[in-house]
Amino acid sequence: MSLKKGRVFSGARPTGRQHLGNYLGAIKNYVALQDEYDCVYCIVDLHALTTLETTLDLRNNTYEMALDWLAAGIRPQESIMFVQSQVPQVTELHTYLSMVTPMGKLTDLPTFKEKVREQPQNVNYGLLGYPVLMAADITLYKSHLVPVGVDQAPHLEFTRETVRSFNYRYNTNVLIEPQMKVTEFPKIIGLDGQQKMSKSLNNHIELASTPEETTQRVMSMVTDPARIRRTDPGNPDVCNVYSMHKVFSSADEVNMVNVECRRAGIGCVDCKKMLARNMNASLAPFRERREEFARNPDGVWDVLHEGAGRARAIAAQTIAEVKAAIGLAE
Ligand code: ADP
């Protein structure tokens, strides 16, 4: 029996190569949690189907994301890393949970309303049921803790309410109410210095990009807009380059930038060069490991298949308990 504190579950849609926002906001936490919890990390390709216009890149994006997760330090011997659609029991639990879900609750969710605004031409049934599928993901593995961004808080609350409704309706305690764990870096700002770093906004830096690409992207970062000339004093508090220094540079360097920027002792170009150097140094071991994993694509798929096998074993057990609680025929 495991001596760990409980089970962690988290899922992310297969968006391909991951960026610094994904790493700092999610993956770093996934890696750290492995020391204390039994972790289940899922590439949620079924969730992706609710928004994708084409599925042509789905497999490759799944593979690229798995490579990033492995290179970042997810340990597949300990943790379960798998693809959602390879554990079909999640769709079965989704159906059971849908029976205790009032329609109004789904239509009221801010995330649903946002999607309706974003893709009015494709308001599909899956989109409405997204939180139910997410509740099924979490509860299928009897997860105690779910590390997510703050934007997911309404979905986590929905999951907790769904668990209570299910357990009450069927007079059982088979499903577990999960806790939310907010990450250390809930919102990494993109190269534009304004919006959340995101692939779709092309304001991102991929973990797997080359040192040259990384440097080029860092050099394009928007700094304090009020600092126009090299001789103008800057304000690090409103500069995303400074925020990134806090993540990638030493305490002495951060302090130096903080002091020198304010009295125009360091220019933005030198400040960015220093950041690019530190970022590349910090990402170098990740990139080496990624290249090693990429030499054996079958090995990456084996990890995912093996993870799905272990996930299916837990899922089958939960489904058996759920069916018994409902009173369905065995
Ligand atoms: P999903 O829709 O599955 O959340 P994303 O690619 O948007 O897919 O995000 C994957 C994970 O990375 C999520 O946990 C999300 O909170 C985190 N994330 C994405 N972008 C950022 C960002 N700019 N700052 C912090 N965390 C982020």
Side-chain angles (χ1 to χ4, degrees), residues 223-292:
T223 55
D224 171 7
R227 190 174 185 195
I228 297 160
R229 286 176 299 265
R230 165 70 177 81
T231 48
D232 293 339
N235 179 6
D237 300 333
V238 298
C239 180
N240 195 29
V241 174
Y242 180 62
S243 308
M244 287 290 186
H245 269 299
K246 286 195 225 162
V247 178
F248 291 102
S249 302
S250 69
D252 284 350
E253 287 168 319
V254 172
N255 194 33
M256 187 277 277
V257 169
N258 189 18
V259 172
E260 295 302 324
C261 174
R262 286 179 206 279
R263 60 175 189 209
I266 182 173
C268 293
V269 170
D270 286 336
C271 187
K272 288 178 186 178
K273 277 187 187 158
M274 191 172 129
L275 174 62
R277 233 181 5 254
N278 292 343
M279 205 180 262
N280 279 324
S282 155
L283 291 172
F286 164 88
R287 289 169 177 165
E288 268 172 41
R289 277 196 303 273
R290 195 182 200 278
E291 268 174 36
E292 262 169 51

Side-chain angles (χ1 to χ4, degrees), residues 9 26 68 71 86 101 125 130-131 133 166 219 224 245 248 255 268 271 321:
F9 177 92
D68 279 339
Q86 293 183 338
T101 303
Y125 171 71
Y130 193 110
L133 186 57
F166 182 92
M219 297 314 288
D224 171 7
H245 269 299
F248 291 102
N255 194 33
C268 293
C271 187
E321 291 172 24

Side-chain angles (χ1 to χ4, degrees), residues 10-13 15 18-19 21-26 30 44 130 147-149 151-152 183 185-189 196-198:
S10 196
R13 289 173 304 152
T15 47
Q18 300 291 280
H19 55 70
N22 299 133
Y23 177 68
L24 296 168
Y30 293 1
V44 291
Y130 193 110
V148 281
D151 54 326
Q152 291 295 318
T183 60
F185 300 103
K187 190 174 178 184
I188 298 295
I189 301 297
K196 182 175 145 168
M197 184 177 284
S198 154

Side-chain angles (χ1 to χ4, degrees), residues 151-215:
D151 54 326
Q152 291 295 318
H155 286 166
L156 240 289
E157 197 42 45
F158 172 86
T159 300
R160 292 163 56 81
E161 285 168 13
T162 305
V163 167
R164 289 199 289 271
S165 302
F166 182 92
N167 286 350
Y168 179 76
R169 165 94 173 262
Y170 299 112
N171 194 21
T172 178
N173 57 8
V174 47
L175 298 185
I176 292 178
E177 239 184 272
Q179 302 293 324
M180 171 168 166
K181 184 177 168 65
V182 182
T183 60
E184 190 190 348
F185 300 103
K187 190 174 178 184
I188 298 295
I189 301 297
L191 304 180
D192 53 21
Q194 302 270 328
Q195 304 189 75
K196 182 175 145 168
M197 184 177 284
S198 154
K199 206 174 198 170
S200 56
L201 296 170
N202 193 23
N203 65 356
H204 64 299
I205 295 180
E206 284 178 356
L207 297 171
S209 60
T210 63
E212 295 72 28
E213 280 164 357
T214 305
T215 304

Side-chain angles (χ1 to χ4, degrees), residues 101-117:
T101 303
M103 274 289 290
K105 234 186 216 178
L106 295 175
T107 48
D108 278 352
L109 278 169
T111 39
F112 176 67
K113 291 181 181 158
E114 198 182 300
K115 285 288 177 222
V116 171
R117 273 195 301 275

